[in-house]
């Protein structure tokens, strides 16, 4: 047999088939290898600097953002703490400012009165021509301080007229005289008056008669004395109580209850002094002062010594303005009376008003005025002089103070009969003085 022999064409087709198979296998192997590397190296073998830097910046940005957030939170907390601390400091500074302002106010009030007047008036004046110069007489009033007694302040706002009023202290020992007192005040038409009640009986009496009344808060040691004491005890107590009225900025016409009101006293006040008081004097010399010559023959050529005399102010009826000297007067008198209960308030009142400064003692620098003794009349002037003089009996006083006589209530009623009801013989039954 003869073997089959392939031709060139067949050999060529076989080689081509084998080549295609190898290429296909290589492609498959390459694809598999590519998949493996793609899985193992998703970013490839060669990562660009741009990508690295970008990733780094992104990571850094996140870190920085977190860092900034933490830092901002800490900063806010720190600022809050600083704000709280500064607020506390500010509150403390405000408190200190208020305290310093109050101290400054008190210091200003305590300055020499001439300096205060200078500050109030402004530019310091020059002395004018001879005979034209007049010194300052009216001291400035204090700044009202309502914190002293808020309850009393509200009462005074309703009762006072032009920041002034009549004030009387009373307990049940003077109940009958008090009724005569406020009955005539009402009759005259005076509205600005107030009774400081020292016990419940007086409070009820005033309330039942529509009389303005102020019952003080309990103050043991002071009020217990006022409830049971007589005229002199109550008279001494008034200096301490009056201080609050002045501190609140009100001028007070202090009145005992043994007084009959015939006219409105506010129409006759001058108001140019710290204290304006009625006198215990009975004529021009005793009421307004005089040159009394003291004779001592043993001195030979110098036997005559001149002295200045004036009868005392009556501490049961005086007008007092809310000034520093006036408040100092009340403090001085109240202190001396508390230290020496046996002292007489009227004597102490006058000593503090009139005694000048001397070694070991600083006198009170207060301006004072004596009231017209015919208008603001004491019972000595009335019963010893006026009722026996037809010309003087025609004068209508502003008030009659029954201070010289112990039989006060019947004489008060007689004054009402004489001046109000026109009974001409109403005063005749009474002696000039007292029976004892």
């Amino acid at each position: 047999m003869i073997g089959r022999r392939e031709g060139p064409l067949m050999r060529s087709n076989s080689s081509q088939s084998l080549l295609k198979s190898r290429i296909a296998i290589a492609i498959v192997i390459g694809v598999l290898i590519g998949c493996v590397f793609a899985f193992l190296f998703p970013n490839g073998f060669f990562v660009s600097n741009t990508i690295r830097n970008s990733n780094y910046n992104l990571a850094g940005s996140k870190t920085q953002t977190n860092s900034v957030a933490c830092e901002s939170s800490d900063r806010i907390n720190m600022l809050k703490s600083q704000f709280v601390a500064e607020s506390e400091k500010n509150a403390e500074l405000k408190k200190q400012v208020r305290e310093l302002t109050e101290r400054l106010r008190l210091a200003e009030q305590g300055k020499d009165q001439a300096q205060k007047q200078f500050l109030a008036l402004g530019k310091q004046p020059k002395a004018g021509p001879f005979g034209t110069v007049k010194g300052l007489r009216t001291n400035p009033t204090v700044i009202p301080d309502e914190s002293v007694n808020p309850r009393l302040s509200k009462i005074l706002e309703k009762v006072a007229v032009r920041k002034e009023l009549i004030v009387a202290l009373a307990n049940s020992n003077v109940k009958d005289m008090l009724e005569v007192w406020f009955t005539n005040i009402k009759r005259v038409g005076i509205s600005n008056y107030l009774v400081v009640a020292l016990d419940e009986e007086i409070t009820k009496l005033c309330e039942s008669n529509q009389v303005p009344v102020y019952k003080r808060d309990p103050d043991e040691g002071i009020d217990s004395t006022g409830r049971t004491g007589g005229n002199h005890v109550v008279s001494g107590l008034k200096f301490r109580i009056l201080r609050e009225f002045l501190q609140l900025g009100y001028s007070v016409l202090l009145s005992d209850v043994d007084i009959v009101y015939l006219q409105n006293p506010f129409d006759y006040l001058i108001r140019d002094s710290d204290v304006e008081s009625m006198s215990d004097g009975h004529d021009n010399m005793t009421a307004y002062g005089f040159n009394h010559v003291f004779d001592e023959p043993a001195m030979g050529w110098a036997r005559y010594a001149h002295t200045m005399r004036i009868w005392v102010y009556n501490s049961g009826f005086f007008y007092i303005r809310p000034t520093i000297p006036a408040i100092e007067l009340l403090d001085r008198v109240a202190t001396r009376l508390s230290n020496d209960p046996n002292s007489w308030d009227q004597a102490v009142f006058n000593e503090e008003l009139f005694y000048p400064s001397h070694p070991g003692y600083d006198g009170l620098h207060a301006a004072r005025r004596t009231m017209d003794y015919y208008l603001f009349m004491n019972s000595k002037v009335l019963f010893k002089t006026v009722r026996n003089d037809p010309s003087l009996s025609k004068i209508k006083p502003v008030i009659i103070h029954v201070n010289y006589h112990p039989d006060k209530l019947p004489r008060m009623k007689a004054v009402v009969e004489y001046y109000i009801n026109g009974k001409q013989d109403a005063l005749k039954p009474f002696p000039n003085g007292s029976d004892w």
Side-chain angles (χ1 to χ4, degrees), residues 7 19 63 76 92 120 132 158 161 169 177 262 271 277 344 375 386 390 393 430:
L19 179 61
T63 303
I76 290 172
E92 182 65 24
T132 65
K158 298 178 181 178
V161 175
L169 278 67
M177 285 191 291
L262 303 174
R271 301 176 178 85
S277 178
W344 183 26
L375 294 179
V386 171
S393 61
F430 300 95

Side-chain angles (χ1 to χ4, degrees), residues 235 238 254-259 277-278 313-318 345-346 349 401:
S235 186
K238 68 193 174 193
L254 190 281
S255 173
D256 282 352
V257 296
D258 57 344
I259 294 176
S277 178
M278 73 171 293
Y313 283 174
N314 192 288
S315 62
F317 190 85
F318 60 87
D345 70 283
Q346 181 159 291
F349 176 70
H401 189 178

Side-chain angles (χ1 to χ4, degrees), residues 260-280:
V260 178
Y261 285 77
L262 303 174
Q263 299 187 67
N264 191 330
F266 293 108
D267 295 337
Y268 295 89
L269 296 175
I270 307 302
R271 301 176 178 85
D272 66 342
S273 303
D274 299 298
V275 177
E276 190 170 346
S277 178
M278 73 171 293
S279 172
D280 272 1

Side-chain angles (χ1 to χ4, degrees), residues 146 149-156 213-218:
E146 295 183 1
N149 192 331
R151 185 166 66 89
L152 177 59
S153 178
K154 292 180 180 179
I155 295 174
L156 296 181
V213 63
Y214 164 61
K215 180 67 168 62
R216 297 177 67 248
D217 294 329

Side-chain angles (χ1 to χ4, degrees), residues 275-279 287-288 310 313 354 368-372:
V275 177
E276 190 170 346
S277 178
M278 73 171 293
S279 172
Y288 307 141
I310 184 173
Y313 283 174
F354 287 96
R368 52 193 181 271
R369 169 178 282 273
T370 306
M371 294 176 174
D372 186 324

Side-chain angles (χ1 to χ4, degrees), residues 84-130:
V84 172
E86 293 299 327
S87 298
E88 292 176 352
K89 289 181 180 179
N90 188 41
E92 182 65 24
L93 287 173
K94 286 182 178 179
K95 181 180 178 181
Q96 292 177 358
V97 168
R98 288 195 298 268
E99 292 177 352
L100 289 173
T101 301
E102 179 65 15
R103 290 179 183 177
L104 179 61
R105 183 180 70 83
L106 294 175
E108 284 294 326
Q109 291 181 356
K111 281 185 178 181
D112 182 81
Q113 292 306 301
Q115 179 66 17
K116 287 184 67 64
Q117 290 170 342
F118 164 72
L119 293 174
L121 294 175
K123 186 178 179 180
Q124 188 174 3
K126 293 182 179 180
F130 180 82

Side-chain angles (χ1 to χ4, degrees), residues 344-368:
W344 183 26
D345 70 283
Q346 181 159 291
V348 175
F349 176 70
N350 280 271
E351 288 170 1
E352 292 298 336
L353 264 178
F354 287 96
Y355 280 176
S357 298
H358 56 262
Y361 176 79
D362 290 329
L364 181 72
H365 296 270
R368 52 193 181 271

